[in-house]
């Protein structure tokens, strides 16, 4: 009976080692994915910031060209 018990423990140990190796691989894969997504998110945030700045510049230019400066507007009672 002790030999059978030993075989069972060895089988369980091998199963646990296999599961641990699989989990380690999965964790490493997920870590790489999170790192890639973090880098991508930072690049996208930077692009959004630049697009916001460009949009503001275009709006400022449009306002300047159309003479929409509030200081240039005639008050409504004139």
């Amino acid at each position: 009976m002790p030999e059978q018990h030993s075989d069972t423990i060895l089988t369980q140990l091998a199963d646990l080692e296999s599961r641990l190796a699989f989990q380690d691989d999965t964790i490493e894969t997920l870590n790489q994915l999170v790192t890639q997504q973090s880098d991508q998110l930072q690049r996208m945030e930077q692009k959004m910031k630049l697009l916001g700045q460009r949009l503001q510049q275009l709006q400022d230019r449009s306002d300047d060209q159309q003479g929409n400066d509030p200081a240039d507007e005639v008050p409504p009672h004139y």
Side-chain angles (χ1 to χ4, degrees):
M1 191 70 114
E3 188 176 316
Q4 185 180 10
H5 184 64
S6 177
D7 288 344
T8 302
I9 291 175
L10 289 175
T11 300
Q12 290 174 343
L13 182 59
D15 289 346
L16 288 173
E17 288 175 338
S18 175
R19 290 174 69 182
L20 179 61
F22 177 75
Q23 288 177 352
D24 284 346
D25 183 58
T26 300
I27 289 170
E28 180 59 30
T29 300
L30 291 172
N31 184 51
Q32 289 174 0
L33 180 61
V34 169
T35 301
Q36 289 171 356
Q37 288 179 342
S38 177
D39 292 344
Q40 184 180 25
L41 182 58
Q42 287 178 352
R43 287 190 306 271
M44 290 172 70
E45 287 174 340
Q46 183 63 26
K47 287 180 181 181
M48 287 295 294
K49 183 178 177 181
L50 290 172
L51 285 172
Q53 291 171 350
R54 287 182 183 174
L55 178 60
Q56 185 62 48
Q57 290 172 349
L58 289 173
Q59 287 175 339
D60 291 346
R61 280 190 211 158
S62 176
D63 290 346
D64 289 346
Q65 289 175 354
Q66 293 177 5
N68 289 340
D69 187 0
D72 293 338
E73 290 185 16
V74 177
H77 62 277
Y78 280 111

